[in-house]
Amino acid sequence: MHALAEVVQYVRQSLDDGKSVCSLFIDLTKAFDTVNHDILIEKLGCYGLSSSALSVIRDYLKNRMQFVQLGEHNSKLLKVTCGVPQGSVLGPLLFIIYINDISRVISQGKIVTFADDTAAIFNHLQLGELKEMTQLELNKMAAWFAINKLTLNVSKTNFMLFTRRKTETSQNFKLTILGEEVTRVSHARYLGIEIDDQLNWNEHIANVTKKVRMNTSMIYKIGHAIDLRHRKMLYNAFVLPHVSYCLPIWGIGYKTHYSKLTVSLNAAARALVFAKIRGTNMELLYHSLSLLDFERLVFYNVAICMWRIQHKQAPSYLCQLFKPVNQRHSYGTRRATSGLPYTELANLNQTMFTISLAWAKIWEKFNPNIRNMQGCDNFKKACKNFLLQSNTDALRAPRYSHNYSRQNRDFLFF
């Protein structure tokens, strides 16, 4: 999740600074199968592995054989000359080490990698300058891939433009790789999440809603044959994972964006007890089932992330986003003594949904006894109990646009 968080935070913060952002989603052809063994061993040596450790890894990679089996027939044995074993624990780690130095190739922007999913993001105040910068850095990356014997899949590589400038320049924003034009998309799949160029997550929310409805139908069909405990097991296995995956990233926004998903999740909860739509108090139902509704699920997942950040159990990038107030200034304010992270004012409505601001606002709603609790399992139990016992209106807070006009707006989830 931290890789996705890094991309989203970069884009939102850049937009808040008045810049446009170009995000490249790079696809490699048979990435794990084309790792050159000699180059990998050389890179491992540069990272400080001893000669004996390198010898063990070399023996692990070299002299592997492969064949194809069809029924009772087997092909001849052939030696595997490149690639890292897939399905192993060591394979993804070796691949990450292999491509880790790609970040040194570019002089501007940022490269975010997670296994073979690579995103390159660049920002600039001027769209023309952004296009030139991105094309220059893209050429450098294409050359690096060629030197390291990795093949770019141009047909599946695409880019997305995040900008508030709807000008002719933005319409004619084009990039090429080795003479082939890179496809510009309005939404792209990265780490299993559909990102769109407005960052309103409509495509992803629609996909999750569809999966929730499909699995709710399954619970309805077989629910009469099993008891409530097993129906809840089905809910936790087939419904909740789809909603919870990376929820702290895409689940922060205006309530209206999530209305269909909320309705579908409520239907899944009613399916557990075969309740009807009319006459069912959903808040009481969730409480009786010890389940969290969508809003509380967002709070719960964000709180777990913030607890890990506070206890230095999160990736370094996320820990660096949240600095205690007393590390920003030496004034004896109430916030400085509370241990809460420093938050900056939002210039745009979009900025209210940046991770650094939204997560901190949600974290404030938990009392210090819960925030400072030791042990992640103990924290999860206390956090869930707190959310189940809290009133929905008490959890929400109204936010207004950056010009502070008190127009009627729907509530945020924080």
Side-chain angles (χ1 to χ4, degrees), residues 118-345:
T118 303
I121 40 182
F122 309 93
N123 63 15
H124 202 281
L125 288 169
Q126 301 297 328
L127 279 171
E129 296 292 333
L130 176 62
K131 178 182 176 181
E132 292 181 10
M133 176 206 304
T134 306
Q135 184 63 66
L136 177 63
E137 302 298 347
L138 180 56
N139 293 340
K140 292 180 184 178
M141 288 187 287
W144 183 92
F145 285 123
I147 292 171
N148 287 272
K149 303 186 185 301
L150 296 172
T151 306
L152 269 170
N153 189 341
V154 182
S155 62
K156 292 186 177 180
T157 296
N158 50 57
F159 77 94
M160 196 181 303
L161 186 64
F162 302 89
T163 183
R164 293 186 291 121
R165 298 177 176 87
K166 306 301 179 183
T167 63
E168 186 177 349
T169 306
S170 66
Q171 299 298 322
N172 297 327
F173 198 102
K174 296 180 181 180
L175 300 171
T176 60
I177 301 177
L178 303 175
E180 293 188 54
E181 187 172 325
V182 183
T183 305
R184 178 177 172 180
V185 295
S186 58
H187 60 90
R189 193 170 185 83
Y190 181 63
L191 299 177
I193 302 293
E194 288 284 342
I195 307 177
D196 58 83
D197 56 9
Q198 301 298 318
L199 285 181
N200 55 27
W201 310 104
N202 285 343
E203 291 290 333
H204 184 71
I205 293 170
N207 290 341
V208 174
T209 302
K210 182 179 179 181
K211 292 174 182 176
V212 169
R213 288 174 178 172
M214 180 179 64
N215 288 298
T216 299
S217 176
M218 179 265 295
I219 294 174
Y220 265 118
K221 289 177 180 177
I222 68 174
H224 291 283
I226 55 178
D227 59 16
L228 177 60
R229 185 173 68 89
H230 289 94
R231 290 196 293 271
K232 285 182 66 176
M233 289 175 63
L234 290 176
Y235 176 90
N236 290 327
F238 294 101
V239 175
L240 200 58
H242 293 299
V243 180
S244 298
Y245 178 65
C246 290
L247 183 59
I249 310 296
W250 62 268
I252 300 170
Y254 291 114
K255 182 181 177 183
T256 51
H257 291 175
Y258 307 92
S259 57
K260 292 183 179 179
L261 177 56
T262 302
V263 169
S264 298
L265 199 61
N266 290 346
R270 287 194 300 271
L272 299 179
V273 294
F274 307 108
K276 296 181 179 180
I277 296 179
R278 291 186 178 181
T280 302
N281 186 315
M282 290 309 304
E283 191 160 347
L284 291 178
L285 177 60
Y286 277 112
H287 191 276
S288 66
L289 294 171
S290 295
L291 297 176
L292 301 175
D293 60 18
F294 183 75
E295 294 184 46
R296 288 177 172 82
L297 274 175
V298 174
F299 277 62
Y300 178 74
N301 284 273
V302 169
I304 293 173
C305 292
M306 290 300 298
W307 185 91
R308 287 174 175 158
I309 289 168
Q310 181 171 296
H311 291 79
K312 308 300 180 185
Q313 296 181 15
S316 57
Y317 169 76
L318 290 177
C319 292
Q320 291 168 6
L321 272 182
F322 299 92
K323 296 290 185 182
V325 177
N326 53 22
Q327 292 185 16
R328 295 291 186 118
H329 61 71
S330 58
Y331 303 112
T333 61
R334 283 177 296 179
R335 192 177 183 86
T337 57
S338 67
L340 289 169
Y342 176 83
T343 56
E344 296 181 353
L345 293 176

Side-chain angles (χ1 to χ4, degrees), residues 35 39-49 57 84 90-102 113 115 144 148:
V35 171
I39 296 176
L40 175 60
I41 296 298
E42 183 180 348
K43 290 187 178 186
L44 289 170
C46 293
Y47 285 119
L49 268 70
I57 294 177
V84 293
L90 196 56
L93 176 61
L94 292 175
F95 181 81
I96 291 170
I97 294 172
Y98 190 79
I99 66 168
N100 187 57
D101 58 306
I102 189 175
T113 59
W144 183 92
N148 287 272

Side-chain angles (χ1 to χ4, degrees), residues 375-404:
C376 191
D377 289 339
N378 293 333
F379 170 78
K380 287 180 179 179
K381 291 178 182 177
C383 179
K384 185 174 181 179
N385 289 334
F386 170 79
L387 291 171
L388 285 172
Q389 296 168 10
S390 299
N391 183 273
T392 303
D393 293 333
L395 292 175
R396 295 177 185 171
R399 304 305 251 191
Y400 302 101
S401 59
H402 62 284
N403 59 8
Y404 301 105

Side-chain angles (χ1 to χ4, degrees), residues 17-74:
D17 294 337
K19 299 178 181 179
S20 299
V21 182
C22 180
S23 181
L24 279 160
F25 300 99
I26 298 169
D27 186 84
L28 299 173
T29 302
K30 298 185 180 298
F32 281 74
D33 295 330
T34 55
V35 171
N36 184 277
H37 293 164
D38 294 329
I39 296 176
L40 175 60
I41 296 298
E42 183 180 348
K43 290 187 178 186
L44 289 170
C46 293
Y47 285 119
L49 268 70
S50 64
S51 57
S52 58
L54 291 175
S55 179
V56 171
I57 294 177
R58 187 181 289 107
D59 291 341
Y60 173 74
L61 294 172
K62 300 279 186 178
N63 299 319
R64 286 180 173 269
M65 307 298 288
Q66 64 180 357
F67 68 95
V68 177
Q69 185 179 38
L70 181 61
E72 299 178 354
H73 304 282
N74 297 333

